[in-house]
Amino acid sequence: MGKTANTSVRDLLFGDLWDYAPAPESRDHLTIHERYGHFIDGKFVEGEDHFPSINPATEEQLFEVASADEATVDLAVKAARKAYDKVWGKMPGSERAKYLYRIARMIQEKARALAVAESLDGGKPIKESRDVDIPLAAAHFFYYAGWADKLEYALPGASPSPIGVAGQIIPWNFPLLMAAWKIAPALAAGNTIVIKPAETTPLTAMMLAEIIQEADLPPGVVNIVNGAGQTGAAIVNHPDIDKIAFTGSTDVGKIIQRALAGSRKKLTLELGGKGANIIFDDASLDQAVEGIINGIFFNQGHVCCAGSRLLVQENIADELMHKLRHRVSTLIVGDPLDKNTDVGAINSREQLLRIQELVAAGKDEGAQIFQPSSPLPEKGFFFKPTVFTEVTPSHRIAREEIFGPVLSVLTFRTPEEAIEKANNTPYGLACGVWTDKGSRLFRVANALKCGIVWGNTYNRFDPTSPFGGYKESGFGREGGLHGLLPYLEVR
């Protein structure tokens, strides 16, 4: 597997001279039940209308999960209301903090099993579940445990109080982390919860229910109901829920907003994105290439804030693309449980078909496609890391959220052109700016119409930092002090 004598030094990449031996993470320590129902009023309850949850890397059934109807959702809401009125809403913040801290510690203790479960059920590489999702989920509970008894200090001169019962609907791309993002601030503020995991990734939510039960959280404070869109609609439309928090597609977010228009319910939406990753000619190109890879291929591109549009200054485009193509060729696509894997399985067949449709549209519209030559696994929902060049702002792949490992590359000449192209989207969630000049970074960042701007990095998250978007990427913030506000009445 050696290189020819004519290969230049710039073409040599560390690690491309050998293959990696498989290094699969064991799943022996993980117990998965054959069937899961719901978690209501502190107890696991049987459900009806079970449907399979599929391992996207093998297409094999992992377990069956129940689908909650309106009556089941009503039971969960009644349990949450009772817990709010009699226990949680009256409990001092210092006592609520102890429960959040206990949950955080138990997530850390069970981190290995949770990471394996997340990769099995969702398809993401184990190194991402192990090193990002699970530690960040614990960190959010730790962080909001610290806020629980300090709400008056967070809002000086005001009298904050909980809203009541929160209905929360989470997506399939970060199942446990998104649950932590929503549950931790809601509990810290004194609310009770009815939460619905995504229908394709309910496993870690049910494991979190086991942690909640083991932590002796008062019954009814957190209730978890499984199901698909019909279950989510039952939560949204329930008359005794005071606030809805939704993370998911823009189309569904619009439906929810219309349904709640004119009601008393509070609403926060974290929706889609079409992030621009802007590379100026004075940026460190090797560093930028790693940021581009992390921005679009992390979690197979199943990231709402993914840097799916790469804007490169024209005079460095050839050199950057040369480096980027080589780096993409080194990515390992395969078994999510293998520690060597960089790009795991697409979450579902439905999502894979959506990615394939948009990639076909990119080719039909004249964009030039690059994919590495390495074969994909024979079974499972996999898609090669893909880079399109010669893309224009009118291409579908530059306008629509693909939610997969597909990068569209556009060029620009001036900062003003970069800003105009970056803002030329109905979305406004996240962007990245790569430059050696601090003044340029801040000038461009301030002109970008998006909620998050990363400077010389991408996809960096911290529980102390607020996250959210503008325009069709939604409204409201999660994380930081800002993440408490949607769950508080401030007088």
Side-chain angles (χ1 to χ4, degrees):
M1 203 173 164
K3 295 289 181 180
T4 65
N6 293 327
T7 302
S8 66
V9 173
R10 63 180 285 180
D11 289 332
L12 291 175
L13 292 172
F14 178 79
D16 67 344
L17 301 179
W18 58 81
D19 293 324
Y20 289 92
E25 175 68 50
S26 172
R27 53 179 290 185
D28 294 343
H29 56 286
L30 174 64
T31 300
I32 300 178
H33 303 297
E34 291 184 5
R35 277 192 166 189
Y36 288 94
H38 315 288
F39 182 69
I40 299 174
D41 205 18
K43 299 176 183 177
F44 289 93
V45 298
E46 294 291 331
E48 299 179 349
D49 299 325
H50 290 80
F51 59 92
S53 184
I54 304 298
N55 179 343
T58 64
E59 302 180 53
E60 297 172 352
Q61 179 175 312
L62 284 170
F63 54 88
E64 290 185 330
V65 63
S67 180
D69 56 14
E70 291 185 2
T72 304
V73 169
D74 185 58
L75 287 175
V77 174
K78 287 178 178 176
R81 178 61 63 185
K82 179 180 177 182
Y84 174 75
D85 290 339
K86 295 190 174 182
V87 182
W88 198 251
K90 300 177 179 179
M91 185 180 291
S94 58
E95 292 300 310
R96 294 198 301 268
K98 294 177 183 178
Y99 287 102
L100 269 71
Y101 187 86
R102 191 180 303 165
I103 292 170
R105 288 290 294 123
M106 294 175 70
I107 289 174
Q108 287 183 323
E109 292 167 2
K110 302 176 186 293
R112 187 181 176 198
L114 287 166
V116 172
E118 203 75 301
S119 291
L120 279 174
D121 205 21
K124 65 178 58 186
I126 185 66
K127 63 184 180 183
E128 294 178 6
S129 300
R130 178 196 65 203
D131 298 342
V132 179
D133 292 48
I134 310 307
L136 270 178
H140 273 79
F141 278 100
F142 277 128
Y143 176 72
Y144 284 107
W147 273 121
D149 63 344
K150 304 176 184 66
L151 299 179
E152 291 78 8
Y153 299 98
L155 301 161
S159 177
S161 60
I163 291 173
V165 177
Q168 302 175 330
I169 302 170
I170 58 175
W172 46 258
N173 56 337
F174 293 93
L176 184 63
L177 180 56
M178 293 296 100
W181 276 27
K182 287 178 168 54
I183 292 174
L187 294 186
N191 303 279
T192 56
I193 295 165
V194 177
I195 188 168
K196 187 194 86 68
E199 62 268 29
T200 61
T201 54
L203 181 55
T204 48
M206 299 312 292
M207 294 174 69
L208 179 61
E210 294 172 355
I211 289 173
I212 287 170
Q213 189 179 57
E214 191 176 340
D216 288 330
L217 194 71
V221 173
V222 174
N223 305 274
I224 302 175
V225 291
N226 287 303
Q230 185 176 2
T231 305
I235 293 174
V236 169
N237 296 321
H238 197 285
D240 200 29
I241 282 181
D242 303 299
K243 185 257 188 311
I244 296 293
F246 172 78
T247 297
S249 72
T250 296
D251 289 342
V252 175
K254 290 178 179 179
I255 293 171
I256 292 173
Q257 189 171 13
R258 285 193 291 267
L260 298 188
S263 75
R264 62 177 179 81
K265 296 177 185 177
K266 293 182 178 292
L267 174 65
T268 52
L269 297 173
E270 197 269 278
L271 308 174
K274 195 68 180 175
N277 214 354
I278 306 170
I279 317 296
F280 285 98
D281 58 6
D282 62 338
S284 169
L285 294 193
D286 290 331
Q287 180 185 358
V289 165
E290 293 306 310
I292 295 164
I293 294 292
N294 185 49
I296 184 58
F297 300 124
F298 176 71
N299 196 25
Q300 298 79 253
H302 297 334
V303 185
C304 51
C305 56
S308 53
R309 290 183 299 147
L310 178 63
L311 274 58
V312 186
Q313 199 152 17
E314 196 172 90
N315 58 323
I316 60 164
D318 289 344
E319 183 179 1
L320 181 74
M321 292 310 302
H322 180 87
K323 290 175 177 287
L324 181 60
R325 290 188 185 98
H326 273 292
R327 183 66 179 89
V328 170
S329 297
T330 69
L331 295 176
I332 298 173
V333 182
D335 180 8
L337 288 186
D338 193 321
K339 302 179 190 69
N340 296 318
T341 295
D342 298 302
V343 181
I346 303 302
N347 182 264
S348 65
R349 186 181 298 278
E350 180 183 10
Q351 185 59 29
L352 178 60
L353 293 174
R354 162 75 175 169
I355 295 167
Q356 291 171 338
E357 176 201 348
L358 284 167
V359 167
K363 290 191 286 187
D364 291 344
E365 291 178 350
Q368 298 302 304
I369 188 172
F370 171 81
Q371 292 176 321
S373 59
S374 54
L376 295 177
E378 294 182 1
K379 292 188 66 176
F381 311 136
F382 292 93
F383 196 83
K384 288 186 178 184
T386 301
V387 178
F388 276 108
T389 53
E390 299 183 29
V391 178
T392 69
S394 63
H395 280 96
R396 281 186 69 191
I397 54 174
R399 293 184 289 108
E400 297 183 26
E401 184 179 35
I402 301 174
F403 223 60
V406 181
L407 180 67
S408 299
V409 183
L410 301 91
T411 60
F412 66 91
R413 292 184 178 180
T414 66
E416 291 72 25
E417 183 184 357
I419 292 167
E420 184 177 355
K421 285 186 174 180
N423 288 336
N424 184 23
T425 173
Y427 298 106
L429 188 55
C431 290
V433 180
W434 299 77
T435 175
D436 193 44
K437 295 183 176 65
S439 58
R440 173 185 282 173
L441 196 159
F442 284 107
R443 181 166 70 89
V444 173
N446 287 328
L448 295 173
K449 296 177 182 178
C450 58
I452 304 100
V453 180
W454 284 291
N456 293 322
T457 188
Y458 209 94
N459 275 340
R460 298 292 181 183
F461 301 97
D462 189 278
T464 66
S465 179
F467 181 93
Y470 296 97
K471 299 190 288 187
E472 291 193 10
S473 290
F475 49 82
R477 295 294 180 265
E478 294 179 305
L481 171 60
H482 301 69
L484 288 167
L485 298 179
Y487 295 100
L488 289 171
E489 293 283 3
V490 182
R491 297 178 178 86

